[in-house]
Amino acid sequence: MPALILRTSHRLPTSRTTRGGERGVVLILTLFVLFLVIALIAQLTLGAEVAHQATMNRSNRLRMSLAIRTASEEILTMIADDASGESSGGLGSALGGAGDMASAMGAAGAQGASSLGADPSGDATGEEGEEEEGEEDASNSDSFEDAWARPMRVMMDDIEVITFVQDENSKFNLHLLIVEDEIQAEENFQRAVRILDHMRDNMDGDFAESDARIVIGDIVRWLQVGSRSSELPQMPRHSLEDDDDYTMFSSMEELMLLESVPPSLYYDRLDDNEMIAPGLETVFTMWTTPDFAGSGVGDLAADAPLSADGTGTDGASTESNATGSTAAASSAASGAQSAANAGGNSNGPDDNTVQGEGGMEGVLEGEPPMGTKINLNTAPRAVIEGLFASHELAPVKVTALLEWLDDVDEKAVEEQDNAEEDSEDRELRQSLYGEQEPEPKQFFNTLEEISEVDGFGAEELDEETQARLQELVSVQSDVFSVYIYASRKTNSEWQAERRYQEAPGHTLRMRAVVWRRTTGDGVRLVFLEPWHEVPFTRWRIPPFQRDLPVFEAPRYY
């Protein structure tokens, strides 16, 4: 009988049984690598987009800067031409130089070799267009009807450029607070207090007289040499002597270092009622301080008018912008340094002739500067209201003066209606200033014309008030703050719905201060403060904001 053979089968463990707990590892590794790749791609995409946007921002800023440069040349030419009457008619050089301006703006993106603005040497025009001796017309005065005073708008592809000019002669000079004559210094202090008190009448942030006194007092203390500390040291000045009690402003923005002057007080502010609350930058200045000779601020009296030989009528040497304006001009004019060391007769080759180096040569010769007199045609309402105390000049007379300046000039309107205008000139004007141009307003060609205003006749004002008017005000300007705003319009169909509404997007805002000098060699423009960026857009503030017509969006040709 065959033997039974029992076989026992032994199964070896398979990989499925030995690695049963490792299921999905490959899938997890795959997903991990996928997520890592996605993160890397996202990072690269984001980095590339940021780099692209940064490049585009730099490119747009460069384009806006070039557009501002081109527009600055035109507006500075308008300011210079106005001295000879070429642009006093309201359009002036804008029409005269239209072809050149259009071609220059078309090529603005390809330019970049020259510095921003006019030649820092100060040459703006030649001798062309000089007014004949003895001729007197509107060119002898500066007003809002001049071409430089009208906001100009230019489109260069998708870049919109808008200009705004305010003459510094329309403001009260804060350096008058520290004249040596104590009586005059006190009068100027009271005048500054009244201006600040009226600055925001019936608006949010309206100042009480006591608050105005605190602010003006802080400003006077700030100008005292001994008031500075190690945290806010005194800026070195060539004109500052060891025994001087006061110094001068280097920049109006210094005011915001005072605790009593926040930025909301210094800058103009748009309130909830669509009205502009003026700031200190609108009513006060430092740039009209005259100083041709020497240091210090002892002879900065507004009522010491200049004579032909550079001295005041009281026999004191009158000082004109070497400590304030010319000092700033020398640093702004690419190293052109002023050597204005003495006054005296500047018409001959004697040792006391005012000399200069580089682009400043001859700038200090010619007619005397306007000094600290306030241009009545362009002064803000608060400045006019604060010039005299109510017992010296009744408020009703001040209101009559403001209303006269705000009235439509019927004679100018009639001349415009009867004037024959070329279609190309009309199209150019509408492209620069808009189709709805405001009606021309009245202004004073000479200060004697103030007698036309009710209450300002020779028999209606006492002799003392008439003399003070002659000392304090004029109808001319020679120092100008030039603002140019450039913005990239992302939506060509966008239109403003409110009077002071700005287009969405980035805006580059630049400002410069120039001094216009009429010399024997023609009109010269000297940069007192070079082009620099400013944080806010400014608009001209009408004297009667509540009486403005219903807003209508501007239309350009």
Side-chain angles (χ1 to χ4, degrees):
M1 182 175 181
L4 295 175
I5 302 175
L6 298 176
R7 296 181 177 178
T8 304
S9 61
H10 298 280
R11 292 185 176 182
L12 297 175
T14 63
S15 61
R16 178 173 297 180
T17 58
T18 58
R19 300 185 179 183
E22 299 180 5
R23 293 178 178 178
V25 173
V26 174
L27 179 60
I28 292 175
L29 291 175
T30 303
L31 291 176
F32 177 76
V33 173
L34 179 62
F35 290 150
L36 183 62
V37 171
I38 292 175
L40 291 174
I41 293 175
Q43 177 63 28
L44 291 174
T45 303
L46 180 61
E49 180 64 22
V50 170
H52 173 72
Q53 289 296 332
T55 303
M56 289 299 298
N57 289 339
R58 288 193 293 269
S59 173
N60 290 332
R61 185 179 178 86
L62 178 60
R63 292 173 59 217
M64 288 188 288
S65 178
L66 292 172
I68 288 176
R69 175 183 303 170
T70 304
S72 69
E73 295 175 356
E74 177 63 21
I75 192 65
L76 291 175
T77 300
M78 287 184 180
I79 293 174
D81 288 347
D82 180 67
S84 57
E86 293 184 10
S87 58
S88 293
L91 190 57
S93 63
L95 291 179
D100 295 337
M101 183 178 66
S103 61
M105 290 179 174
Q111 296 176 353
S114 61
S115 61
L116 182 61
D119 186 353
S121 65
D123 290 324
T125 64
E127 300 180 8
E128 297 180 2
E130 277 193 34
E131 186 180 346
E132 295 182 5
E133 185 176 355
E135 182 180 357
E136 182 173 311
D137 57 16
S139 65
N140 289 330
S141 65
D142 292 283
S143 71
F144 292 142
E145 300 308 312
D146 292 333
W148 59 262
R150 304 177 62 185
M152 180 176 65
R153 178 256 196 188
V154 178
M155 286 296 299
M156 286 173 265
D157 294 333
D158 59 341
I159 303 296
E160 181 183 55
V161 180
I162 297 177
T163 66
F164 169 77
V165 180
Q166 182 181 17
D167 58 319
E168 293 294 310
N169 304 82
S170 65
K171 309 175 186 179
F172 178 81
N173 194 309
L174 289 176
H175 288 142
L176 292 174
L177 297 172
I178 54 175
V179 295
E180 286 186 351
D181 189 307
E182 294 183 0
I183 297 178
Q184 291 181 358
E186 177 61 24
E187 291 179 354
N188 293 328
F189 183 92
Q190 299 298 334
R191 192 167 288 120
V193 168
R194 290 194 297 268
I195 291 173
L196 188 53
D197 184 22
H198 286 292
M199 188 176 72
R200 292 182 175 177
D201 275 346
N202 303 319
M203 296 183 177
D204 293 338
D206 188 2
F207 259 67
E209 182 179 348
S210 58
D211 296 328
R213 288 186 178 277
I214 293 175
V215 173
I216 301 302
D218 288 346
I219 293 174
V220 173
R221 283 187 290 274
W222 174 257
L223 293 173
Q224 291 175 350
V225 173
S227 67
R228 304 300 177 87
S229 63
S230 58
E231 296 180 357
L232 296 172
Q234 174 66 51
M235 178 177 290
R237 299 186 67 90
H238 177 71
S239 60
L240 186 63
E241 302 292 344
D242 294 336
D243 57 347
D244 284 341
D245 296 326
Y246 293 97
T247 182
M248 303 178 76
F249 287 107
S250 296
S251 170
M252 284 297 294
E253 284 74 10
E254 287 182 30
L255 291 173
M256 288 186 285
L257 295 175
L258 301 176
E259 186 177 353
S260 58
V261 184
S264 59
L265 176 60
Y266 179 80
Y267 294 109
D268 297 346
R269 182 169 53 85
L270 186 64
D271 64 16
D272 298 334
N273 297 321
E274 289 297 308
M275 293 195 302
I276 300 176
L280 300 185
E281 63 174 343
T282 294
V283 297
F284 292 138
T285 184
M286 57 170 269
W287 295 111
T288 57
T289 303
D291 183 1
F292 276 156
S295 63
V297 293
D299 296 312
L300 303 180
D303 52 358
L306 289 169
S307 63
D309 60 354
T311 61
T313 56
D314 58 355
S317 172
T318 306
E319 305 187 344
S320 161
N321 257 338
T323 54
S325 302
T326 305
S330 60
S331 61
S334 301
Q337 299 178 351
S338 171
N341 296 322
N345 194 332
S346 60
N347 298 322
D350 299 333
D351 294 338
N352 62 352
T353 300
V354 176
Q355 299 294 338
E357 298 177 3
M360 294 291 291
E361 183 177 1
V363 167
L364 301 184
E365 299 177 358
E367 299 179 359
M370 306 300 172
T372 57
K373 287 188 175 183
I374 295 172
N375 188 336
L376 204 57
N377 287 325
T378 57
R381 176 171 182 163
V383 175
I384 295 178
E385 291 177 329
L387 281 179
F388 291 92
S390 57
H391 67 272
E392 296 176 308
L393 192 65
V396 64
K397 294 184 178 181
V398 176
T399 302
L401 174 61
L402 292 168
E403 291 176 346
W404 190 93
L405 291 169
D406 196 52
D407 280 346
V408 175
D409 189 342
E410 300 294 346
K411 182 178 179 181
V413 172
E414 183 180 357
E415 291 177 354
Q416 286 184 357
D417 294 339
N418 297 332
E420 295 182 1
E421 185 178 24
D422 183 82
S423 59
E424 294 183 358
D425 290 348
R426 181 175 62 255
E427 293 172 359
L428 172 61
R429 189 186 69 250
Q430 293 177 353
S431 68
L432 295 177
Y433 303 113
E435 297 180 4
Q436 310 101 333
E437 292 186 72
E439 293 181 307
K441 300 296 181 65
Q442 298 181 137
F443 63 93
F444 300 118
N445 290 317
T446 63
L447 191 55
E448 286 71 22
E449 292 182 3
I450 196 173
S451 59
E452 300 177 9
V453 181
D454 291 340
F456 285 85
E459 67 284 351
E460 298 174 285
L461 289 179
D462 58 77
E463 294 183 0
E464 183 179 354
T465 303
Q466 294 182 35
R468 295 295 288 168
L469 272 173
Q470 294 289 335
E471 295 167 356
L472 292 173
V473 301
S474 70
V475 294
Q476 293 178 303
S477 299
D478 62 352
V479 182
F480 303 86
S481 281
V482 183
Y483 297 83
I484 302 183
Y485 314 123
S487 59
R488 180 172 173 264
K489 298 194 70 172
T490 56
N491 181 8
S492 59
E493 302 298 326
W494 182 87
Q495 280 192 333
E497 298 177 353
R498 301 186 302 275
R499 192 178 305 276
Y500 302 114
Q501 184 179 10
E502 296 185 83
H506 176 68
T507 300
L508 179 61
R509 306 173 182 90
M510 303 292 288
R511 179 205 185 200
V513 182
V514 295
W515 183 26
R516 184 177 67 187
R517 295 289 297 144
T518 302
T519 69
D521 296 329
V523 180
R524 307 283 296 278
L525 292 182
V526 180
F527 277 80
L528 305 182
E529 190 172 38
W531 289 104
H532 60 283
E533 190 169 354
V534 292
F536 301 111
T537 301
R538 296 195 60 206
W539 293 275
R540 177 159 296 115
I541 305 176
F544 302 99
Q545 297 193 65
R546 289 180 172 81
D547 298 336
L548 292 176
V550 177
F551 172 72
E552 184 178 354
R555 299 190 304 270
Y556 297 92
Y557 178 81

